[in-house]
């Protein structure tokens, strides 16, 4: 039912889609699928990693509906999205802790930086990832 709702309602203006969902007393999962499909349909197939990261939470039902509605651009976007989801940084949180990155926001930021760089092809190995982290740490320590 969520895929059907998303396929039928995502192309409508948001207020109309919401009114229909309200009248149907649709569950949150249907609303999430509609909103996810609508979002996917507005994104360029050449989305940047930050956008892909934001889209990673879209439901399978939203993705199916957007795929059906969006044609070739949506096929390319979802191919990029799957590639983003499979991209893992060369180093994990334990590796970063051993390199001196403290737990907390800086650890998450470092992991995002490494994942983004690997996705973009600017980091090709764990040694390159370690070198990047070490250079960032040196730059951070030298700031006043």
């Amino acid at each position: 039912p969520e895929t059907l709702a998303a396929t039928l309602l995502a192309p409508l203006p948001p207020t109309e889609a919401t009114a229909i969902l309200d009248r149907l007393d649709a569950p949150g999962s249907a609303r999430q699928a509609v909103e996810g499909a609508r979002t996917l349909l507005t994104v360029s197939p050449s989305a940047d990693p930050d956008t892909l990261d934001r889209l990673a939470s879209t439901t399978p039902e939203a993705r199916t509906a957007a795929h059906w509605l969006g044609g070739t651009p949506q096929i390319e976007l979802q191919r990029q999205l799957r590639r983003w989801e499979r991209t893992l940084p060369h180093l994990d949180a334990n590796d970063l802790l051993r390199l001196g990155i403290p737990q907390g926001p800086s650890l998450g930021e470092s992991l995002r930086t490494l994942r983004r760089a690997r996705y973009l092809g600017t980091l090709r190995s764990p040694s390159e990832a370690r070198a990047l982290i070490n250079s960032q740490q040196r730059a951070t320590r030298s700031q006043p």
Side-chain angles (χ1 to χ4, degrees):
E2 286 83 2
T3 304
L4 178 61
T7 303
L8 295 172
L9 301 178
L12 298 177
T15 54
E16 287 182 37
T18 300
I20 293 169
L21 290 166
D22 288 345
R23 270 185 264 135
L24 295 172
D25 196 25
S29 57
R31 294 170 191 274
Q32 186 178 13
V34 171
E35 185 57 37
R38 180 181 295 115
T39 299
L40 285 165
L41 290 168
T42 64
V43 176
S44 164
S46 59
D48 62 84
D50 293 332
T51 301
L52 294 172
D53 192 44
R54 185 174 45 82
L55 295 174
S57 64
T58 55
T59 66
E61 295 82 6
R63 292 181 188 198
T64 299
H67 176 89
W68 290 343
L69 295 166
T72 303
Q74 195 57 219
I75 292 168
E76 178 58 23
L77 172 64
Q78 292 195 33
R79 187 181 71 75
Q80 294 298 330
L81 184 54
R82 285 188 303 277
R83 183 174 153 242
W84 170 255
E85 291 171 330
R86 289 189 309 266
T87 300
L88 299 175
H90 288 290
L91 305 176
D92 64 18
N94 289 326
D95 295 326
L96 294 177
L97 290 169
R98 282 191 292 276
L99 289 171
I101 302 293
Q103 284 188 338
S106 59
L107 182 64
E109 185 59 38
S110 294
L111 286 168
R112 283 187 292 280
T113 297
L114 292 175
R115 183 181 189 194
R116 179 186 178 93
R118 185 168 188 189
Y119 177 83
L120 294 173
T122 57
L123 285 182
R124 293 185 180 87
S125 70
S127 62
E128 288 180 3
R130 279 189 290 281
L132 175 63
I133 293 300
N134 288 332
S135 70
Q136 286 180 338
Q137 283 184 299
R138 282 191 300 275
T140 300
R141 283 190 293 259
S142 67
Q143 292 178 351

